[in-house]
Amino acid sequence: MTKLLSTHETLILSTAAVERVFSQVQLIVTEHRNRLEVHTTNRLLIIKLNTSSHTDVDMQKVVTAFLKKNRRIM
């Protein structure tokens, strides 16, 4: 019985993190941004989960990296 309760508590704790990730994915992949590639979604999710504010990201580096790519979709 103790082992069963221990397993039950572990399952409850382990699903909370997964639910938070799914919640964040729902904020990233919206009705208007439903064609994001998995790779792009993963990168946005990593940024969202590992930064506390937009000031944590050096936008000059982001813009420079974007401009180096020759892919433009308008």
Side-chain angles (χ1 to χ4, degrees):
M1 184 69 165
T2 305
K3 187 174 181 178
L4 179 63
L5 289 174
S6 176
T7 303
H8 177 69
E9 289 173 1
T10 304
L11 291 175
I12 291 173
L13 293 175
S14 65
T15 60
V18 174
E19 289 177 16
R20 276 194 293 275
V21 170
F22 277 114
S23 177
Q24 294 300 316
V25 170
Q26 286 179 334
L27 294 173
I28 293 170
V29 181
T30 64
E31 185 178 324
H32 297 286
R33 291 174 32 168
N34 61 359
R35 293 186 181 195
L36 290 173
E37 294 181 9
V38 173
H39 183 70
T40 305
T41 305
N42 283 341
R43 286 184 171 192
L44 290 171
L45 185 61
I46 288 169
I47 292 169
K48 181 115 175 119
L49 294 175
N50 292 308
T51 58
S52 59
S53 169
H54 69 281
T55 58
D56 293 344
V57 178
D58 184 359
M59 291 307 293
Q60 187 59 42
K61 287 183 180 179
V62 173
V63 170
T64 302
F66 176 77
L67 293 174
K68 285 182 181 178
K69 296 182 178 185
N70 292 325
R71 183 171 183 245
R72 300 290 185 266
I73 299 176
M74 303 263 178

